[in-house]
Amino acid sequence: MTTTDQQALIDALSAEYAAVYAYGVIAAYANHDRDKLVAEYTASHRARRDATIDTLKASGATVPEPAAAYTSPIPVNDPIPAAKLAVTVESDAAAAWRAVVERADNPDVRRTGIEALTECAVRLATWQSILGTNPTTVAFPGQA
């Protein structure tokens, strides 16, 4: 694994750290009908975070610690802002994983990026649908 691969994964790990933190906020304010969905998505981000940490450690990279806290880009105090935060989280994670796909030299790292990007795109489409956004998907998820 090259240093470029490692740095791309470190950048994606930062997005996963932020996603896990944000889903804690989302869980506190989301519509309780969505508790199972929020728990599933939180678990997905935790699993992706942990797998990324393992991959980085196996490559000999220094794994950064998560920040102590993260600032929400929007105030969250009820279900609608919670869903909007989830859209932001999934968009940010998709952008980070898309960058892995674009930058990685190692085919296994690139494959991981594609899988993670796909997962983010599905979660993003779900939240967009919940918010009534039309269209719910974009042609190239993670593209700024």
Side-chain angles (χ1 to χ4, degrees):
M1 182 181 306
T2 66
T3 56
T4 301
D5 294 339
Q6 290 173 338
Q7 189 57 56
L9 286 173
I10 287 169
D11 294 344
L13 177 60
S14 294
E16 291 300 335
Y17 282 149
V20 169
Y21 185 91
Y23 266 98
V25 175
I26 294 162
Y29 291 99
N31 183 318
H32 291 297
D33 293 343
R34 309 220 191 287
D35 286 348
K36 184 176 176 184
L37 181 75
V38 171
E40 176 187 333
Y41 290 179
T42 303
S44 293
H45 281 289
R46 283 185 181 141
R48 184 62 64 188
R49 174 202 62 197
D50 294 347
T52 304
I53 289 170
D54 291 345
T55 300
L56 285 166
K57 284 181 179 177
S59 77
T62 301
V63 178
E65 294 293 321
Y70 295 84
T71 303
S72 176
I74 58 172
V76 179
N77 55 8
D78 68 43
I80 298 299
K84 288 180 180 179
L85 178 58
V87 165
T88 300
V89 165
E90 298 302 344
S91 295
D92 291 351
W97 286 108
R98 181 185 173 104
V100 170
V101 174
E102 292 171 344
R103 295 168 45 200
D105 295 320
N106 182 300
D108 291 333
V109 173
R110 199 172 300 122
R111 187 175 308 107
T112 296
I114 291 167
E115 290 168 359
L117 174 58
T118 301
E119 291 168 4
C120 291
V122 170
R123 289 188 298 262
L124 176 58
T126 300
W127 286 113
Q128 295 276 54
S129 177
I130 288 167
L131 287 169
T133 305
N134 189 13
T136 58
T137 62
V138 295
F140 300 104
Q143 189 172 18

